[in-house]
Amino acid sequence: MVYESFKAIRINGTPARIYSILKDAESWPKWDVDLIKVSMKPPAAGVAATAADWTGRTGNLTMKNGSSFDFTVKTEPDRYFGYRTRLFGADADWYWDFRKQDADGVELKMGVKIEGFTSSLWSMVIAPLLPASFDACTNNLKTMVESGTLNGEPIQIGV
């Protein structure tokens, strides 16, 4: 079984700017309304901490409801950023897919895909929460990319 939900918006900015914000994992709680803490583990031996491709990097996130999840990152620099968490009986792939649409704009798609024998159960648990969460997170990312601010305050995330 597979469950997927996403929200797509247009952002006036560049894929590189979006990617730089997403790579600043410890700052996710500034714009992701469901998180209170994210920590990245040091990269594997021989992998630079500043490498553009974060595929395989791992970390831990703590949600506002107190749940904590280990995650593994998958990226395509300047196009895709995602991470996988393990749920009971399923894997959840949280993702941001962003593609240049024209000279000034990018389409950003934020979503989750849950696969496994309990995915239908997980869909019933999280589906009611996703629209408001996706709206808030994508709007926060849009504001950060387009104006360099969040909640009226300048941000210093990414490049």
Side-chain angles (χ1 to χ4, degrees):
M1 295 279 303
V2 175
Y3 168 78
E4 184 169 15
S5 180
F6 66 88
K7 164 136 185 172
I9 65 167
R10 178 187 165 82
I11 295 178
N12 293 320
T14 65
R17 175 68 175 147
I18 295 169
Y19 191 69
S20 70
I21 291 169
L22 293 172
K23 272 185 41 175
D24 191 353
E26 285 84 2
S27 293
W28 292 352
K30 291 181 180 179
W31 57 265
D32 188 315
V33 297
D34 297 315
L35 299 177
I36 58 171
K37 182 180 178 187
V38 176
S39 59
M40 294 299 297
K41 295 178 181 158
V47 177
T50 59
D53 185 353
W54 273 33
T55 296
R57 298 268 322 258
T58 59
N60 181 274
L61 56 85
T62 304
M63 314 259 320
K64 287 186 177 174
N65 68 8
S67 300
S68 182
F69 298 95
D70 289 332
F71 65 89
T72 303
V73 174
K74 178 181 178 188
T75 66
E76 293 177 37
D78 298 340
R79 197 199 77 66
Y80 179 91
F81 193 99
Y83 64 84
R84 174 173 280 190
T85 57
R86 299 275 312 154
L87 305 172
F88 175 76
D91 291 322
D93 291 312
W94 300 87
Y95 63 86
W96 297 263
D97 191 336
F98 39 99
R99 299 171 191 261
K100 190 135 183 87
Q101 294 296 307
D102 54 41
D104 298 320
V106 174
E107 179 187 63
L108 170 71
K109 182 163 64 168
M110 177 184 179
V112 62
K113 184 176 183 180
I114 302 175
E115 295 183 76
F117 72 89
T118 61
S119 61
S120 59
L121 173 65
W122 284 107
S123 71
M124 289 187 288
V125 172
I126 69 168
L129 308 173
L130 291 176
S133 179
F134 286 171
D135 283 348
C137 292
T138 55
N139 286 335
N140 285 344
L141 285 169
K142 180 178 177 74
T143 300
M144 291 170 69
V145 170
E146 292 181 355
S147 71
T149 64
L150 186 61
N151 300 320
E153 299 293 324
I155 57 159
Q156 298 297 321
I157 297 176
V159 289

